[in-house]
Amino acid sequence: MVALAQTPPSGDRLRAIDGFLAEAWTDQKAHDDRLRDLTVEVRFDRGVAHVTGEVADPGQLRLARDRIGRLAGVLGVWCRVRVAGHDPVVVDLGCGPNKQWPGNLGLDIFPASGVDAVADLSGSLPLADDSVDVFFTVHILEHLIDFLPLLDECHRVLRPGGVLHVMSPWWGHVNAVADPTHVRLLDVQTFKGICLQRPPGTPRWYPLHAGCDGASIFADLTPVPPDSDPPTKSHLARFFD
C-alpha cells in the first residue's frame, strides 16, 4: 500500500532526502557485486534519480534502474545512459524552451528555443517505429483532453526496453487546478489503469516505477508486447492500492 502525502515536503526535507538517497546508493553499490563496476552516475533531485554514464549492455541498465528504484524515497528514475557505445535517442514532448537534457530532441506544438520540431501531440508523432529509447512527458498529459492516443504513439515509437517518463500535477494539489489550461486530473492510480485496465488489443505498458510527493505524480513505463506476462502482485503493491 502506498500512502500519498497530503502536503508536499519542504525544500529542506527534500534536500535531506536527496542526501539520504545518495548515501544509500553509494552503500548499495559498494556491497552489491553486480553494481560495483557499473560506470553510471546517479544524482538525486527532489527524489528523482537522474542517471547518466555508460553500460555494456541493456541488462546492466535494467539492473541499475531497478536497484535505484528500490531505494525508499525514490519517485522516478530518469536515465540518459549510453549502451554498448551508443547514445540513447531521447525525446522531450511538449518541452517548450526547457529540455530535461540539452541533447534531447524537443517536440512541441509551439516554436520555442528548445523545440527541434513542431508537432501536435494530440495526433501522430513524426517519428518512426522503434526509433526512440526514452520519452519525457513532463507537465504535458494534464493539458490533453485525451492523452491515451499520445501514449499509444509513444508505445509505437519506443524501442523494446525503452522508457516513458511522466511527471504531472497530483489531483489533490492546488497546482492541478491553478492552471486553466489543465483539462485532466491524474493520480498514481491512473497509471495502474493505463497498465492493467485498457481493452484487449490496445498497447500494453509495464510500470517500472510510480510515486507521488504530495504535489506531483511520477511514472516510469516500458512498452510490452500483447502476449507478455502481467506484472506480479508484489511488484504492483510497491506503487498501487
Side-chain angles (χ1 to χ4, degrees), residues 91-116:
V91 176
D92 255 313
L93 296 176
C95 62
N98 302 310
K99 296 179 183 179
Q100 299 306 311
W101 278 291
N104 295 354
L105 173 67
L107 299 184
D108 204 316
I109 194 171
F110 298 115
S113 57
V115 176
D116 299 293

Side-chain angles (χ1 to χ4, degrees), residues 10-90:
S10 66
D12 286 343
R13 187 182 180 202
L14 286 169
R15 284 187 288 273
I17 291 172
D18 288 339
F20 160 78
L21 290 171
E23 293 173 0
W25 171 245
T26 298
D27 184 65
Q28 180 172 227
K29 190 175 180 183
H31 290 86
D32 189 330
D33 290 339
R34 300 170 300 172
L35 303 173
R36 191 172 295 129
D37 295 329
L38 290 185
T39 54
V40 296
E41 297 180 2
V42 185
R43 176 180 62 87
F44 296 95
D45 183 6
R46 303 176 71 87
V48 176
H50 296 260
V51 187
T52 55
E54 183 169 358
V55 295
D57 57 67
Q60 289 186 339
L61 177 56
R62 289 193 297 270
L63 174 66
R65 199 165 51 204
D66 178 71
R67 295 294 100 181
I68 295 166
R70 288 175 181 267
L71 297 175
V74 169
L75 297 168
V77 184
W78 293 4
C79 294
R80 186 183 176 89
V81 176
R82 287 170 57 88
V83 179
H86 298 286
D87 287 323
V89 177
V90 185

Side-chain angles (χ1 to χ4, degrees), residues 48-199:
V48 176
H50 296 260
V51 187
T52 55
E54 183 169 358
V55 295
D57 57 67
Q60 289 186 339
L61 177 56
R62 289 193 297 270
L63 174 66
R65 199 165 51 204
D66 178 71
R67 295 294 100 181
I68 295 166
R70 288 175 181 267
L71 297 175
V74 169
L75 297 168
V77 184
W78 293 4
C79 294
R80 186 183 176 89
V81 176
R82 287 170 57 88
V83 179
H86 298 286
D87 287 323
V89 177
V90 185
V91 176
D92 255 313
L93 296 176
C95 62
N98 302 310
K99 296 179 183 179
Q100 299 306 311
W101 278 291
N104 295 354
L105 173 67
L107 299 184
D108 204 316
I109 194 171
F110 298 115
S113 57
V115 176
D116 299 293
V118 174
D120 183 356
L121 301 185
S122 64
S124 299
L125 295 178
L127 299 166
D129 294 359
D130 302 325
S131 62
V132 170
D133 296 292
V134 177
F135 273 115
F136 281 101
T137 55
V138 177
H139 292 300
I140 296 304
L141 299 188
E142 65 273 15
H143 293 276
L144 300 177
I145 294 174
D146 184 3
F147 57 72
L148 290 177
L150 176 60
L151 296 188
D152 291 349
E153 277 291 279
C154 291
H155 192 287
R156 173 185 68 81
V157 174
L158 278 172
R159 292 169 177 155
V163 180
L164 168 65
H165 298 304
V166 178
M167 178 181 179
S168 286
W170 179 50
W171 71 269
H173 192 269
V174 66
N175 287 347
V177 294
D179 186 337
T181 67
H182 291 176
V183 294
R184 293 296 300 269
L185 298 176
L186 291 92
D187 184 75
V188 172
Q189 298 299 117
T190 305
F191 295 95
K192 179 181 180 181
I194 288 169
C195 294
L196 299 177
Q197 298 174 6
R198 296 195 64 195

